[in-house]
Amino acid sequence: MSRKTVVITGASSEGARAAGVSAARAGARVVLISGHPQRGTAARDEVAKRGQSSEVTLLIADLSLQSSVRELGRQLLTEYPSIHALIHQGVHHQLRKQEREVTAEGFERFWAHNHLGPFLLTHLLKEALVKAHGRVITIGSTRLKVYPRITVYLDDPGMERRSYSATRAFYQSKLAQIQFAISLGRQWAGTGVVAKALSVPSIGADPTRRGGLPWFRRLAHDATGSRGMTTKKLGELYAVAALAPGVAKIPPVYLDDRLEEAWAPIAAFDVKQQDALWALSARSVGL
């Protein structure tokens, strides 16, 4: 493979590190994004070593703050005029913290970090993605099966005027990432950019995603678990989705670990809701 540039957010997560290793071994130039300098540096060193690559770079940014995302976009465009894949692995998932948290810019943190940040960064990098006929990879969740009727609160995505639930806020943001990926294919039609969303499980023990749930929800979450998915396989899945030529020809946007159409809540495929979410997101980030 000719040298390609792959940008991966959430560098300190297992999924991002595994994706970086797989992409590096495939010959790609890897750019890791992290909000934590120390953990990000450790992730960069791990990816460089395990990926056997000298072209692994770390940039620091807080995806929950639009000011930080804009600076990140400026840095990326300056250094990388062509970006072949943007993997939105970075995610805020502190479900044990049930109090509603608001960023310095006034947005609920799950919404700001998991949806508005990726939405803005994708738009800031449009020129570089179009130039490379690149891919935008967002991350859904197998656990959305527990919430088949979930929708995005388009009139109140930050859950300011209704009873707040960290779990609801988190999975609302994951649904929004699926809707965003599907919308991107329509909104950017003809640009050569391909958008895919991946339905992936949580890897390993992650009590923050289930500890605050009632017992019947925890059982349902366990039933929609990893299905034998390892961190290595997850990284390979990300790399294939981002770099393999044949993936662009797969018609469905939301894919499972077999690169087949994944199940999603009904709202994910509602075009009116997709368009309303796109318009709301654009207003929220000033586009």
Side-chain angles (χ1 to χ4, degrees), residues 184-200:
L184 193 64
R186 293 188 291 107
Q187 297 284 348
W188 288 12
T191 65
V193 175
V194 173
K196 296 295 181 185
L198 298 177
S199 174
V200 301

Side-chain angles (χ1 to χ4, degrees), residues 78-118:
T78 298
E79 296 294 328
Y80 309 101
S82 295
I83 294 176
H84 298 81
L86 172 59
I87 302 177
H88 290 296
Q89 166 63 25
V91 61
H92 175 67
H93 56 74
Q94 298 300 319
L95 300 189
R96 283 185 179 273
K97 195 171 184 178
Q98 286 296 318
E99 299 82 9
R100 183 174 180 273
E101 186 178 357
V102 177
T103 69
E105 295 173 343
F107 294 96
E108 189 276 327
R109 187 167 295 279
F110 284 104
W111 188 245
H113 191 287
N114 298 351
H115 176 64
L116 294 181

Side-chain angles (χ1 to χ4, degrees), residues 113-189:
H113 191 287
N114 298 351
H115 176 64
L116 294 181
F119 184 88
L120 175 58
L121 184 59
T122 301
H123 280 79
L124 294 174
L125 300 181
K126 182 176 181 179
E127 181 180 347
L129 288 163
V130 170
K131 185 175 181 180
H133 285 186
R135 306 237 181 113
V136 177
I137 309 297
T138 63
I139 310 301
S141 173
T142 58
R143 302 284 168 79
L144 279 168
K145 291 179 179 179
V146 181
Y147 309 97
R149 298 185 182 276
I150 192 171
T151 59
V152 174
Y153 293 129
L154 293 169
D155 62 334
D156 184 24
M159 302 176 69
E160 184 177 7
R161 301 187 299 274
R162 52 177 34 91
S163 178
Y164 182 76
S165 161
T167 301
R168 172 74 197 209
F170 174 75
Y171 284 105
Q172 173 188 238
S173 71
K174 301 307 284 184
L175 172 62
Q177 284 295 278
I178 302 171
Q179 292 181 320
F180 170 44
I182 296 173
S183 295
L184 193 64
R186 293 188 291 107
Q187 297 284 348
W188 288 12

